[in-house]
Amino acid sequence: MKSGDVNTWPVGLALLDGTGKVEEINTVGREILGYGGAEVLEGLIPAPSRLSDEGDGSGSNWSSGWIRASGVSRELAYRVQPSNGRYAIAFHDVTVRRQRERRATAVARTAARVASERSLPATLNALAHEILQADGLAGVQVLANEYSGGERLHMLGMAGFPSSRSGAFFSLLMECKNRGADLRMLDAFESGKPVIISHRYAAIMSNPAWQPLHEFHRYPEWDAFASIPINVRHSTIGILNVFVKPGQEIDAEAVDFLASMADQAGLAIDYASLLEEERTAAHLEERQRLARDLHDSVVQQVFSMGMLTQTLTVLAGVEGLGYDPRVQSIAKELGSISGSVLKDLRGLVAKLRPSAIEGVGLGGALSRLAATTHRQTGVKFELHVDPQLDRINEDLGEDIYHVAAEAVHNVLKHSPADLVDVRCVVEGGRVLLTVQDNGGPPACLPTDPAGGAQDGHGLAFMRQRAMRWQGSFTVEWNFGNVGTVVRADVPFVPDDRIQGEK
């Protein structure tokens, strides 16, 4: 190559000998590759013996590969052309362009998934993988508290780190906090502003306070760290954590991309919440509509029939006005039937009030509670419901369900648990409900000024439900390998209608 010609070209140009060693390189090529560039280029290009006219960047085809130049990872597009026993190489830096293309694709694909995916953890796991692939990161985490209503952050999406570690992440994080670790991700959550820290890996791995999470964060190796708040309707409900590979940087353009993906995560969380609210509202609205229709039409007509029947009874019993004992008897029977129908209809209207177990039974309602909570938070459930509960009194079943639902809500709000065991069985003529988590002690205990345990609104609510049936209610805060245990013990009351049918 003649330097006077090639140094004016806008791409890097180099000439390799038959063994793959760089003989010449132009000025632009040296600028692209930085210090020690020739050796970097020799490592990128395949050995001459493996170059062909149609592959590996030879001929008219362009290939791409990653290099590490001057301590920074870059993506090069290159083309190799044989020339008199040597090889001419043209190359240019496509890091920024390709990264922008991947980021745009990641945002588009994530937006499409948000609109179509029914599972929130599945959506946020996919979002984490899109971010990981777009920027070649070491790891990504998506944490949110939208469905807990408390301080606990649930790991709803993750990529790069083994998924088997995700369940205990928050409890381990709180253990690090208790040891004095500096939790910068919580700074992002509390302030609603991005937090970016260089060389975070070395600082965490050398700090004993972070020991509970050392194995979680050890592999793959990373360097810088960024935490981006996830906002929904002007409130921060989660954080997006990214762990950057050594040699990469988090510049302003990267922060903009991560903020866009955090917005997509917020949309997914908000969409899941609104969808659940819409389902509940639609169910309630349909029940209320049926109740109104029955009350305004059928109930009123049956009531009118009863009044007319009473009139007929009176008239049939008056001498001189068509007195007939048979008509009077039939009229009385019609009055009895219409009164019974009216009573049943009014009972049906009353039972059309919002009910969690209507149509599915107590077992179905508890299964739905577990499935919905897992889909929204990622918390796992073990559920055992006695088949005898299929014939439980509906009002009793409703109260037991709400005790279980409040206990689950308290787990999500106060505990770092990732597993909840719900058991509801019939033993000795009594219903025994147990809700137990594996989260250790809750984040906070309701206490009175003297230091004793005291019912909060939720505990009082559960206790009243149990005592309504002359039952008992207890809560145990275990500090061993298990977390909080909620127990309700009430007499089993069967549904008279089901008993009659059987």
Side-chain angles (χ1 to χ4, degrees):
M1 294 187 299
K2 295 181 180 180
S3 60
D5 298 328
V6 300
N7 283 331
T8 60
W9 285 40
V11 297
L13 295 172
L15 190 65
L16 278 66
D17 63 19
T19 66
K21 297 294 183 181
V22 175
E23 292 183 344
E24 298 182 51
I25 186 169
N26 70 346
T27 302
V28 174
R30 294 184 184 280
E31 291 175 352
I32 293 173
L33 300 177
Y35 178 76
E39 290 75 13
V40 171
L41 190 63
E42 292 167 3
L44 175 69
I45 307 301
S49 61
R50 292 192 288 110
L51 292 173
S52 65
D53 289 338
E54 296 184 357
D56 300 318
S58 62
S60 60
N61 295 327
W62 286 86
S63 294
S64 64
W66 285 89
I67 64 167
R68 188 171 174 80
S70 300
V72 178
S73 296
R74 296 178 183 176
E75 186 175 7
L76 298 185
Y78 64 89
R79 185 171 64 185
V80 181
Q81 182 68 45
S83 176
N84 298 323
R86 296 187 296 178
Y87 297 89
I89 302 173
F91 59 95
H92 59 102
D93 190 339
V94 294
T95 307
V96 174
R97 190 189 76 193
R98 294 283 177 84
Q99 194 170 54
R100 286 173 178 170
E101 292 173 354
R102 287 192 294 268
R103 287 171 174 171
T105 301
V107 173
R109 280 203 294 243
T110 301
R113 183 177 285 272
V114 166
S116 62
E117 181 63 64
R118 299 184 64 182
S119 169
L120 183 60
T123 299
L124 297 182
N125 269 319
L127 178 143
H129 280 89
E130 292 286 358
I131 297 172
L132 187 81
Q133 294 170 6
D135 272 15
L137 301 169
V140 179
Q141 298 171 343
V142 184
L143 300 99
N145 77 336
E146 171 68 1
Y147 294 97
S148 68
E151 296 180 354
R152 177 176 177 185
L153 293 170
H154 299 277
M155 182 78 75
L156 294 182
M158 186 171 67
F161 300 110
S163 59
S164 59
R165 308 177 192 171
S166 63
F169 177 80
F170 190 76
S171 59
L172 295 176
L173 186 69
M174 290 299 99
E175 188 175 340
C176 294
K177 181 180 180 181
N178 294 335
R179 290 169 171 240
D182 181 19
L183 307 186
R184 299 304 304 276
M185 69 177 68
L186 295 187
D187 291 346
F189 181 77
E190 293 169 0
S191 69
K193 298 179 180 179
V195 171
I196 302 170
I197 311 173
S198 300
H199 312 305
R200 183 66 166 167
Y201 180 86
I204 286 180
M205 291 302 166
S206 62
N207 188 345
W210 283 97
Q211 190 277 330
L213 276 173
H214 277 174
E215 287 306 311
F216 187 100
H217 282 141
R218 190 179 303 278
Y219 302 107
E221 187 176 348
W222 49 279
D223 182 30
F225 167 82
S227 189
I228 311 296
I230 299 173
N231 298 311
V232 172
R233 304 178 198 175
H234 308 294
S235 297
T236 302
I237 55 91
I239 46 178
L240 170 65
N241 292 335
V242 297
F243 302 80
V244 182
K245 289 181 179 178
Q248 292 180 263
E249 297 179 353
I250 304 177
D251 56 18
E253 193 168 335
V255 172
D256 289 342
F257 165 66
L258 295 174
S260 297
M261 296 302 279
D263 288 342
Q264 293 296 327
L267 286 173
I269 295 168
D270 196 32
Y271 176 72
S273 177
L274 291 174
L275 187 61
E276 198 64 34
E277 290 176 6
E278 183 180 348
R279 289 172 180 157
T280 303
H283 181 66
L284 174 60
E285 184 179 352
E286 179 63 15
R287 296 176 67 89
Q288 291 176 335
R289 184 190 66 79
L290 288 172
R292 286 195 305 268
D293 290 347
L294 283 173
H295 182 270
D296 295 343
S297 58
V298 182
V299 171
Q300 295 301 325
Q301 292 178 33
V302 173
F303 177 77
S304 298
M305 288 172 59
M307 294 298 294
L308 291 173
T309 302
Q310 291 180 15
T311 302
L312 181 60
T313 303
V314 172
L315 292 176
V318 178
E319 294 187 15
L321 292 177
Y323 173 76
D324 189 330
R326 291 175 301 172
V327 174
Q328 188 180 42
S329 176
I330 293 173
K332 287 182 178 179
E333 186 175 351
L334 285 173
S336 176
I337 293 173
S338 63
S340 177
V341 171
L342 184 62
K343 180 180 179 181
D344 288 345
L345 282 172
R346 283 175 171 162
L348 180 60
V349 170
K351 286 184 178 296
L352 280 171
R353 67 188 186 278
S355 170
I357 71 172
E358 179 72 23
V360 296
L362 178 57
L366 291 174
S367 296
R368 184 167 57 192
L369 171 68
T372 300
T373 306
H374 172 68
R375 186 170 61 248
Q376 295 172 345
T377 67
V379 173
K380 297 178 181 178
F381 281 79
E382 290 184 0
L383 180 65
H384 176 75
V385 180
D386 197 316
Q388 296 184 70
L389 293 169
D390 288 343
R391 56 189 187 88
I392 195 172
N393 175 276
E394 186 173 344
D395 290 336
L396 173 57
E398 187 81 13
D399 280 336
I400 291 174
Y401 169 81
H402 284 294
V403 171
E406 182 66 22
V408 169
H409 172 77
N410 284 342
V411 171
L412 301 179
K413 184 175 182 180
H414 299 298
S415 168
D418 65 329
L419 176 65
V420 180
D421 185 6
V422 179
R423 299 179 61 85
C424 194
V425 299
V426 179
E427 294 181 2
R430 302 186 70 83
V431 180
L432 307 179
L433 170 70
T434 304
V435 180
Q436 178 174 331
D437 64 74
N438 69 341
C444 60
L445 296 177
T447 57
D448 61 22
Q454 175 182 302
D455 282 357
H457 292 299
L459 296 181
F461 167 85
M462 291 188 281
R463 190 179 302 280
Q464 290 167 6
R465 294 267 186 178
M467 294 181 66
R468 175 186 175 190
W469 300 92
Q470 288 75 52
S472 63
F473 173 82
T474 60
V475 181
E476 297 176 11
W477 288 293
N478 292 289
F479 297 91
N481 295 326
V482 297
T484 303
V485 182
V486 173
R487 292 188 176 91
D489 180 344
V490 297
F492 175 66
V493 180
D495 190 319
D496 292 335
R497 293 171 301 173
I498 298 177
Q499 288 283 89
E501 292 171 3
K502 293 186 176 182

